[in-house]
Amino acid sequence: MNPHSLLASAAINIGLALVTLPLFSVLKKQPSNAPIYYARPLSRRHHLPFDDSSSSLNRFLPSLVWLSRAFRVTEDEIVQAHGLDALVIIRLFKFGIKFFTVCSLVGLVVLLPTNYGAQEVQNGSYFTMDSFTISNVKRGSNRLWVHFAFLCFISLYGMYLLYKEYNEILIRRIWQIQKLKHRPDQFTIVVREIPLCIEHKARDCCVDHFFSKHYPNTYYSYQMVYNTEDLEESVSQAKSLARKIEDLTESSMAKRRKNKLSLLGLLHQETSKAAFLEEKLQALCHRIHQLQCKDTLQKKELPVAFVTFKSRSGAAAAAHLQHHSHPLLWITELAPEPRDVSWRNMRVSYRVVPLYKLGVLIAASLLTVFFAIPVTAVQGIAKYEKLKQWFPPARAVQLIPGLSSIVTGYLPSAVLKGFIYIVPLTMFAMAKIAGCIARSKEEIKACNMVFYFLVGNVFFWSVLSGSLLDLIGQFISHPKNVPSQLAGAVSAQADFFVTYILTDGLSGFSLELLQPGMLIWDILKSCVHGCQRETSPYLYSLPYFRIIPLVSLSVLIGIVYAVVAPLLLPFLILYFCLGYVVYVNQIRDVYETTYETCGQYWPYIHHYILLAIILMQITMVGLFGLKLKPAASISTIPLILFTWMFNEYCKMRFLPSFHHYTLQDAAENDELDEKCGLLELHYENAINAYCPPGLRPVNFMASESSSTPLVSS
């Protein structure tokens, strides 16, 4: 990619950001857009920061108020209002800012002059991207020891930051668990594969007998799980009918207040319609009561139950023990919090979960292989000079001045970003059928699948396919230069990843703020339903499965290219700074945190970043070898081993505390509650929190109002 293409990509992305961000600041001030830009405060009926004067010119002028608000938000405020999981995303951006700021300072001051001063590239090509990368250094040059020193520095600095982050988030996790000690999941475990009681032909009595016998002092009660799909469908239909009746009642009351004789016929029509709907509602309520009968439910009993204990320590001990000599009976684990439960997957037998996981793995692998086609096509566009040799009609692009720079600079990263947009949603849909009993586990599984998909396709395949085009051309024209071409394979893609970071950062984050899809949908709904805009908030859960893998990929690209092409690092600082303020704003005003795992996403982020450091080190082993510096390659191997040992230490030091609720913490919280007299209240509330959706009490307000006639006699 030539400098003109890189500048074209930068200009388009910066221009898009300069248009989108001011537009967002104006649209955010309009009260009609509150359901989009203030969905979270609106759902909680909080005061919205709108100017009372509708004619105020300030509402139509761009401002940076949202930006200053984002910078004023503290970490404690985020944890208190949105939970530790939301803070983990913010800490990921802050890690990127801290890490790449230091790397940029050292890289630009030390490494960039080392690369540029090597002067291997001749004939006026100093101003290509390769002039500032390791490919510009001569083979066997002692300048490569500078790269080795920088490799050691950023590896050790990255591990230092990772250890510090892991430790701080663990401390916050312990505080968060202490703060949320009233939560039902701390008293409850999930029991799966419950055997059938031969005498009573049921499983519920088996649960009660088993835990009463083995935990006589701490066992409290249990809640069986049932296959209540038809019951839930009936309840949903009843709620829908109740809303329709309520709407008809309000409509008739409004018309009756007008006291116009011409409306009497219309009111009688609504009365008969309401009466018909009430009959249907009563029939549905009768069916619901039948389905909720004990005899009916017993036939739909699943081998799954939530068991509640009188203490947290009792639940923690029971969750981590093997309860039967047959390892596939009486399987226990700590229960997810009630709003995190995936009731749909509770119906999946534990024994067939591996088959579900295998199916998801095969589907994800097929998607990864299929996605190699658009990635290769994107690299074909990026390597325009090579593309012209193999596809002569592509020369037509040069007929329009400046078009080739846009096509090779901006178009590849934009097309790739467009294809990537659908990947997280697809992977999340796959993760939902993998048999996870908690929504958070579904999102964590989706995070892993999306991240490895992006590493395989966006990173590795982009490097390989881009280098492959170069190698084909070099093999035909200059066969002797193939080894040197291989040495520059990774660095040859640096310019492409610069444009990718610009597109994902400036364009991606700007569009995330603007929410164009929601704006268009809101306008279409207002056109269909009349002039009135939607007043209910467009509230969606925070998409961890989309944010974490995409940002982690940018961290990986930055770390791998830190030594190879230090010119990429300043772009990453801009990327993480913009991402930080965007997602602070989105977490505060747009997205809802629908569950709280107390930071369980961080171990996976830690793993992604450490994988990036090891990948950087392995890449440099190959580059040092191809640059005829075997001593540097051999010296890098102990660094890889040290990084691996650091990873193993972190697994021993931190990971168990994220996967388990420690007996010590549980006992301390029990003691605090006993002193306050709250322990009994907490475990009594716990069993009611895990009532299946179809068995929860529902108040059909419209059925109560049905006794009031729509038209007075």
Side-chain angles (χ1 to χ4, degrees):
M1 186 183 296
N2 57 49
H4 299 292
S5 300
L6 193 59
L7 288 172
S9 175
I12 292 172
N13 283 294
I14 292 170
L16 185 60
L18 291 177
V19 171
T20 304
L21 295 178
L23 180 61
F24 161 74
S25 69
V26 172
L27 293 175
K28 190 179 176 73
K29 297 177 186 178
Q30 312 309 313
S32 59
N33 294 327
I36 299 172
Y37 297 122
Y38 289 102
R40 192 175 188 277
L42 199 63
S43 67
R44 285 164 168 72
R45 293 178 171 82
H46 291 171
H47 174 70
L48 301 182
F50 290 129
D51 194 338
D52 294 334
S53 173
S54 59
S55 61
S56 174
L57 286 175
N58 185 48
R59 288 203 295 115
F60 301 97
L61 295 176
S63 68
L64 297 176
V65 174
W66 69 273
L67 197 63
S68 60
R69 282 180 65 227
F71 279 117
R72 288 198 303 268
V73 176
T74 64
E75 290 189 355
D76 291 335
E77 289 174 349
I78 292 174
V79 172
Q80 185 175 358
H82 312 280
L84 187 56
D85 292 335
L87 180 65
V88 161
I89 289 180
I90 303 304
R91 290 298 287 258
L92 175 57
F93 284 105
K94 293 179 80 170
F95 172 88
I97 294 169
K98 288 186 283 188
F99 180 75
F100 289 111
T101 299
V102 174
C103 291
S104 293
L105 290 174
V106 179
L108 296 179
V109 171
V110 178
L111 211 57
L112 201 65
T114 302
N115 292 336
Y116 186 75
Q119 298 185 1
E120 183 178 284
V121 181
Q122 300 290 336
N123 300 324
S125 57
Y126 288 107
F127 298 103
T128 64
M129 191 72 176
D130 283 349
S131 305
F132 302 98
T133 66
I134 197 172
S135 62
N136 196 39
V137 179
K138 295 179 181 179
R139 284 184 288 175
S141 172
N142 285 328
R143 289 172 179 263
L144 291 168
W145 287 111
V146 179
H147 295 82
F148 174 76
F150 186 62
L151 172 68
C152 294
F153 169 75
I154 61 175
S155 297
L156 296 175
Y157 180 61
M159 285 185 273
Y160 163 74
L161 283 183
L162 281 174
Y163 184 88
K164 186 179 176 184
E165 291 288 330
Y166 220 150
N167 188 54
E168 289 179 5
I169 289 175
L170 176 59
I171 293 170
R172 282 193 174 273
R173 172 177 166 81
I174 295 169
W175 287 350
Q176 187 76 347
I177 291 173
Q178 171 73 22
K179 174 188 168 185
L180 301 175
K181 65 180 190 294
H182 62 280
R183 285 201 332 189
D185 54 295
Q186 296 189 10
F187 293 89
T188 310
I189 65 170
V190 178
V191 186
R192 306 174 80 178
E193 296 303 316
I194 301 166
L196 186 69
C197 178
I198 306 300
E199 182 182 350
H200 300 95
K201 303 295 181 183
R203 289 184 170 86
D204 57 347
C205 59
C206 207
V207 175
D208 192 56
H209 293 160
F210 183 88
F211 285 96
S212 297
K213 177 181 179 181
H214 296 291
Y215 298 92
N217 299 322
T218 56
Y219 167 68
Y220 175 60
S221 186
Y222 69 95
Q223 169 65 64
M224 294 301 297
V225 180
Y226 305 94
N227 187 3
T228 57
E229 283 183 277
D230 51 352
L231 177 57
E232 290 169 20
E233 185 179 350
S234 297
V235 170
S236 178
Q237 291 176 1
K239 287 180 179 178
S240 178
L241 283 173
R243 281 194 298 269
K244 289 180 181 178
I245 295 170
E246 189 175 356
D247 290 342
L248 279 173
T249 305
E250 291 177 358
S251 174
S252 65
M253 292 288 289
K255 290 172 182 175
R256 185 168 47 186
R257 281 194 292 268
K258 292 181 180 179
N259 198 20
K260 292 183 179 179
L261 293 174
S262 59
L263 297 174
L264 283 177
L266 206 62
L267 290 174
H268 282 296
Q269 287 180 9
E270 291 184 354
T271 303
S272 58
K273 186 178 180 180
F276 174 71
L277 291 177
E278 285 177 0
E279 287 179 9
K280 285 185 68 176
L281 180 60
Q282 288 174 2
L284 264 177
C285 288
H286 180 67
R287 173 176 167 75
I288 289 169
H289 290 316
Q290 285 182 328
L291 292 172
Q292 288 178 337
C293 289
K294 186 176 180 181
D295 294 337
T296 308
L297 286 174
Q298 197 167 19
K299 297 175 185 177
K300 299 182 178 182
E301 203 174 60
L302 295 172
V304 183
F306 291 96
V307 178
T308 302
F309 291 80
K310 296 179 181 177
S311 65
R312 298 174 182 85
S313 54
H320 302 134
L321 288 176
Q322 181 176 329
H323 288 87
H324 198 274
S325 57
H326 192 312
L328 293 180
L329 290 176
W330 297 104
I331 299 161
T332 58
E333 61 180 288
L334 281 172
E337 62 170 318
R339 58 181 180 168
D340 192 21
V341 175
S342 177
W343 295 99
R344 177 189 63 258
N345 286 334
M346 286 288 181
R347 301 169 190 142
V348 179
S349 172
Y350 183 81
R351 296 168 189 252
V352 300
V353 166
L355 294 178
Y356 281 73
K357 290 181 177 179
L358 179 62
V360 169
L361 179 62
I362 292 171
S365 302
L366 290 174
L367 179 63
T368 303
V369 172
F370 175 77
F371 202 83
I373 298 171
V375 172
T376 306
V378 164
Q379 288 303 321
I381 299 171
K383 297 292 179 181
Y384 178 65
E385 295 300 323
K386 303 300 176 186
L387 186 64
K388 287 191 297 183
Q389 298 177 12
W390 301 102
F391 188 65
R395 298 175 185 272
V397 174
Q398 290 180 315
L399 298 177
I400 302 175
L403 183 60
S404 62
S405 297
I406 295 173
V407 168
T408 58
Y410 177 73
L411 191 60
S413 57
V415 171
L416 184 61
K417 182 64 181 174
F419 278 112
I420 288 174
Y421 186 79
I422 63 171
V423 171
L425 297 172
T426 307
M427 292 295 190
F428 186 47
M430 291 181 188
K432 283 190 170 187
I433 59 173
C436 302
I437 62 170
R439 293 166 57 202
S440 59
K441 291 182 179 179
E442 292 173 355
E443 289 214 52
I444 288 172
K445 187 173 185 63
C447 275
N448 284 327
M449 291 196 298
V450 174
F451 176 75
Y452 288 114
F453 173 92
L454 294 175
V455 171
N457 263 309
V458 178
F459 182 75
F460 277 114
W461 191 244
S462 290
V463 169
L464 292 175
S465 60
S467 302
L468 183 63
L469 292 169
D470 286 341
L471 286 172
I472 292 171
Q474 282 289 333
F475 181 75
I476 293 172
S477 57
H478 303 288
K480 295 181 179 179
N481 292 342
V482 172
S484 61
Q485 182 64 30
L486 279 172
V490 175
S491 60
Q493 293 299 101
D495 46 9
F496 169 75
F497 284 117
V498 168
T499 62
Y500 173 81
I501 293 296
L502 283 170
T503 303
D504 192 35
L506 292 173
S507 300
F509 290 149
S510 300
L511 293 176
E512 167 66 31
L513 271 179
L514 190 61
Q515 297 283 308
M518 281 298 159
L519 278 173
I520 295 169
W521 176 249
D522 189 51
I523 292 170
L524 289 175
K525 283 184 71 175
S526 66
C527 292
V528 171
H529 296 101
C531 297
Q532 187 177 1
R533 299 286 293 274
E534 182 67 46
T535 56
S536 57
Y538 293 98
L539 195 63
Y540 297 94
S541 60
L542 191 60
Y544 300 99
F545 65 93
R546 177 166 56 86
I547 302 167
I548 291 174
L550 287 170
V551 178
S552 298
L553 176 68
S554 297
V555 174
L556 183 142
I557 291 170
I559 289 176
V560 171
Y561 277 89
V563 182
V564 175
L567 199 61
L568 178 67
L569 300 177
F571 295 101
L572 283 159
I573 298 174
L574 177 63
Y575 173 91
F576 285 103
C577 287
L578 183 58
Y580 173 80
V581 294
V582 165
Y583 277 102
V584 167
N585 177 82
Q586 299 300 84
I587 288 169
R588 278 176 58 90
D589 294 336
V590 177
Y591 292 122
E592 176 67 291
T593 48
T594 54
Y595 57 79
E596 171 64 11
T597 68
C598 297
Q600 286 188 9
Y601 284 95
W602 186 259
Y604 298 92
I605 294 173
H606 173 90
H607 173 73
Y608 301 156
I609 298 173
L610 210 57
L611 178 67
I613 293 174
I614 292 175
L615 185 59
M616 170 189 64
Q617 294 164 352
I618 293 172
T619 302
M620 293 310 299
V621 169
L623 281 172
F624 286 142
L626 291 170
K627 284 289 185 178
L628 303 181
K629 205 68 175 175
S633 291
I634 295 169
S635 300
T636 307
I637 294 173
L639 186 62
I640 297 175
L641 295 175
F642 179 78
T643 308
W644 177 78
M645 290 171 60
F646 170 78
N647 182 42
E648 293 302 309
Y649 174 75
C650 287
K651 284 182 181 178
M652 294 187 297
R653 170 66 181 85
F654 299 113
L655 196 56
S657 298
F658 280 83
H659 286 173
H660 305 293
Y661 184 31
T662 65
L663 195 64
Q664 180 184 5
D665 292 336
E668 288 176 357
N669 286 336
D670 287 338
E671 289 175 7
L672 288 172
D673 274 357
E674 267 191 300
K675 290 177 182 177
C676 301
L678 296 174
L679 188 62
E680 186 176 353
L681 176 65
H682 286 162
Y683 70 70
E684 285 178 353
N685 290 336
I687 194 61
N688 297 324
Y690 290 98
C691 182
L695 302 182
R696 293 170 189 169
V698 179
N699 183 20
F700 300 113
M701 298 299 294
S703 62
E704 295 178 2
S705 63
S706 60
S707 58
T708 305
L710 294 178
V711 182
S712 57
S713 56

